[in-house]
Amino acid sequence: MTELVHFELDADGVATLTLDDPATRNALTGSAIVDQMLAIFARIERDPAVRVLILTAKGKVFSSGGNIHEMQRQIGPDVDVAALRQEYRHGIQRLPLALHALEVPTIAAVNGPAIGAGCDLACMCDVRIAADSATFAESFVKLGLIPGDGGAWFLPRLIGSARAAEMSYTGDAIGAGTALEWGLVSRVVPDGELLSAARALAGRIAANSPEAVRLTKRLLRESQHARLDALLELSAAYQALAHKTEAHADAVAQFLAARRR
């Protein structure tokens, strides 16, 4: 099987997943790319050495979204509506569920156009950093389609309902500068500095207690739909766990030692 996704893990616990399917410009359908990504996510979940994941792509395109040849197959008479529904449920829709549930923080380093499902893939990550050349398009309507991979859930939470509607109804692309202004990305950097910027941010995250970071991510996820009282109960439980970690004990000891100097 062709390796469409590369995985690297450095000594600091920063993992990098790189999409590499130049023939389709890193399309997310019509190939084994989703299966290979899911296998890496499962590996990360089992490996406590991984503290942060950077998701990026090789070449000048982050992801072109859906494979047009796969769409042509889906139009044909051999695939009925019920089969198409199951293809989505057991195909690309596994990606947002797995990536959203991943315990470690995720950083999308968007190196070029992120189109359709490619835009949604970036939105599935916790943080997005864009290269100057990056563009983002929720472009499904331009092909007579809807965001079938969760974009209608992710995008409004990131940029608000009005701007998400504008992107989704027009299908028009926005540049990196607009993405920064709208809060879709947290920073824009020159193309040649994208990975170094992503790795620097990942290193700052990896330097913190891995248990506290994972629990914090879980709280942020739960806060999107939980009541305040329910979130406070969960926070109390997570904080009790955090108080008993070695990382917390070490941090307190170092703080007190510094004050005594």
Side-chain angles (χ1 to χ4, degrees):
M1 181 184 294
T2 303
E3 185 179 9
L4 305 175
V5 179
H6 307 303
F7 178 79
E8 298 177 9
L9 177 62
D10 70 19
D12 296 324
V14 176
T16 304
L17 183 158
T18 305
L19 308 181
D20 186 11
D21 187 11
T24 69
R25 301 191 305 162
N26 302 317
L28 300 176
T29 58
S31 72
I33 197 166
V34 169
D35 287 330
Q36 292 181 20
M37 292 174 72
L38 291 173
I40 290 172
F41 296 157
R43 173 181 173 182
I44 290 171
E45 289 287 71
R46 296 190 301 267
D47 188 353
V50 179
R51 297 191 172 199
V52 189
L53 172 65
I54 297 170
L55 197 161
T56 191
K58 188 175 180 180
K60 296 183 178 180
V61 177
F62 180 72
S63 174
S64 61
N67 186 321
I68 197 72
H69 298 294
E70 179 70 357
M71 295 178 198
Q72 190 175 38
R73 178 192 68 80
Q74 292 169 325
I75 292 170
D78 295 335
V79 185
D80 62 22
V81 170
L84 276 172
R85 175 173 174 264
Q86 294 304 324
E87 282 188 13
Y88 273 89
R89 292 182 67 242
H90 300 291
I92 195 171
Q93 287 187 350
R94 295 173 298 158
L95 184 58
L97 292 171
L99 188 49
H100 189 65
L102 202 62
E103 279 204 339
V104 300
T106 53
I107 300 170
V110 184
N111 55 295
I115 308 301
C119 178
D120 293 344
L121 176 63
C123 292
M124 295 170 201
C125 294
D126 299 310
V127 181
R128 283 150 298 284
I129 298 177
D132 281 329
S133 61
T135 56
F136 300 83
E138 194 74 348
S139 55
F140 298 92
V141 292
K142 289 190 178 293
L143 288 172
L145 294 173
I146 57 96
D149 54 5
W153 191 89
F154 289 101
L155 192 59
R157 284 168 166 77
L158 295 174
I159 63 174
S161 60
R163 283 169 170 164
E166 181 179 333
M167 287 187 69
S168 301
Y169 297 162
T170 66
D172 293 342
I174 62 171
T178 300
L180 180 63
E181 178 188 347
W182 288 6
L184 184 56
V185 302
S186 60
R187 68 184 72 179
V188 176
V189 299
D191 286 19
E193 298 175 15
L194 178 64
L195 274 183
S196 60
R199 286 173 179 145
L201 175 59
R204 286 160 48 204
I205 295 171
N208 294 317
S209 159
E211 296 91 347
V213 170
R214 289 180 181 224
L215 291 173
T216 298
K217 174 170 177 174
R218 179 58 58 189
L219 280 178
L220 290 172
R221 287 283 184 259
E222 292 300 318
S223 73
Q224 294 180 353
H225 55 79
R227 300 189 317 267
L228 175 58
D229 59 341
L231 190 73
L232 287 171
E233 285 293 334
L234 188 60
S235 300
Y238 282 4
Q239 192 73 304
L241 291 172
H243 272 293
K244 296 299 182 180
T245 61
E246 183 178 347
H248 174 62
D250 288 345
V252 170
Q254 290 174 22
F255 181 83
L256 291 175
R259 289 187 62 181
R260 287 193 291 266
R261 292 185 188 134

